[in-house]
Amino acid sequence: MEFSYVPPERITGNSAFVADKDEQHHLARALRKKPGDAVQFVDGEGWIYDGVLVRMKPEIVIEIRDRRRDRETESPEVTLAPALLKGTRLDTVVEKATELGVSAILPMRSARTVAGGRPASGPSDGPAGQRLDRWRRIALSAMKQSLRARLPRIEPVTSMEDVVGTASSYDLALIAWEEEVNRRPGLAAGLNAKARRILLMIGPEGGFSSEEIAMAREAGMVTVSLGRSRLRSDTAAIAGLALIMAALDAP
């Protein structure tokens, strides 16, 4: 089973309208659905829908028979802020973070970031915008494949300073640092058992500078260790997020 996706603005009353060409192709060609067949879809905001296909052309129309909130909407919201990485490594981070149930992803530039990336104002704003559009497509596919109902928000590339500036808006803000030896993400999460909004920041290939760590600590962020091994940045992002999810008992 795999969910289809219909954005909230395409759902009216007890009807859903599939206008996206990829979704239409998936339903009609890959799944070989036809009028009268049952279908399940999500809206990316935590709702799961059961419906029946009514019409396939010119756009697919689904009659909604039932809808329910997914249990993940009751879990704490975890935001991942990974530094930009070379090649397609951040693509993998976006995919796996979505599968693990992250609520938002904030790609960022830091002092030792090697990959480029200026802030983009929208999905079509040059190469940076093209990457943002690709990450959002990857997240959408991962959400459907992993049977989740919440589509993570992926923001345009920003600076580490800007992300640190938002630390106070979280119940718990963590930053992975290789020189931290005592505190692991799970233990740090236990510092605030009532945390509902959590931030995890992961550095680039060269790690964070001492000045960046000092800035983060001054903003109230907590440094955490991901273990004795020296992990690649993409591995660190996935491992750190998995540890937090397990500690919070989040699905």
Side-chain angles (χ1 to χ4, degrees):
M1 181 180 68
E2 182 177 320
F3 288 149
S4 293
Y5 170 69
V6 181
E9 63 270 18
R10 301 294 297 173
I11 300 172
T12 304
N14 290 323
S15 297
F17 303 89
V18 183
D20 182 80
K21 298 300 182 183
D22 290 337
E23 289 294 330
Q24 289 179 349
H25 183 274
H26 183 70
L27 283 167
R29 301 293 179 85
L31 298 182
R32 298 183 181 277
K33 294 290 187 178
K34 58 185 182 300
D37 287 346
V39 63
Q40 277 193 318
F41 66 93
V42 295
D43 63 2
E45 295 187 351
W47 286 94
I48 301 174
Y49 299 79
D50 295 312
V52 175
L53 287 171
V54 175
R55 189 178 71 202
M56 302 299 290
K57 294 181 180 180
E59 66 176 353
I60 294 176
V61 179
I62 302 172
E63 178 186 340
I64 298 171
R65 298 289 179 85
D66 185 43
R67 69 190 81 193
R68 61 192 180 278
R69 293 291 283 179
D70 188 80
R71 64 176 184 173
E72 73 178 33
T73 57
E74 301 174 0
S75 304
E77 294 184 1
V78 180
T79 295
L80 176 67
L84 288 175
L85 303 175
K86 292 182 292 185
T88 60
R89 291 187 177 275
L90 197 55
D91 293 3
T92 301
V93 171
V94 169
E95 179 183 65
K96 303 309 177 186
T98 301
E99 292 178 15
L100 288 168
V102 74
S103 298
I105 300 174
L106 312 177
M108 63 181 187
R109 290 169 281 105
S110 62
R112 295 174 180 169
T113 295
V114 176
R118 295 184 177 182
S121 60
S124 60
D125 186 14
Q130 292 170 12
R131 282 189 302 172
L132 177 62
D133 185 59
R134 184 175 74 249
W135 292 330
R136 287 173 174 170
R137 292 197 308 271
I138 290 171
L140 176 59
S141 177
M143 176 192 69
K144 295 189 296 181
Q145 184 275 328
S146 58
L147 301 182
R148 290 191 173 274
R150 186 165 60 183
L151 183 64
R153 185 182 79 257
I154 303 180
E155 298 291 352
V157 176
T158 187
S159 67
M160 179 185 175
E161 290 81 2
D162 286 344
V163 179
V164 169
T166 68
S168 61
S169 67
Y170 295 90
D171 300 319
L172 183 63
L174 309 176
I175 181 169
W177 187 37
E178 63 272 17
E179 295 188 30
E180 175 63 58
V181 295
N182 297 318
R183 190 180 293 114
R184 301 291 178 90
L187 295 177
L191 294 174
N192 189 347
K194 295 182 180 180
R196 301 301 300 172
R197 299 186 72 247
I198 298 170
L199 171 67
L200 173 63
M201 185 178 290
I202 301 291
E205 286 88 344
F208 290 116
S209 68
S210 56
E211 293 79 11
E212 288 173 325
I213 292 296
M215 175 182 64
R217 284 176 164 172
E218 185 176 352
M221 299 191 70
V222 179
T223 54
V224 293
S225 167
L226 297 180
R228 297 179 181 179
S229 300
R230 185 174 66 178
L231 304 177
R232 297 190 70 113
S233 294
D234 48 339
T235 305
I238 298 167
L241 184 59
L243 289 170
I244 289 176
M245 293 299 194
L248 295 172
D249 195 26

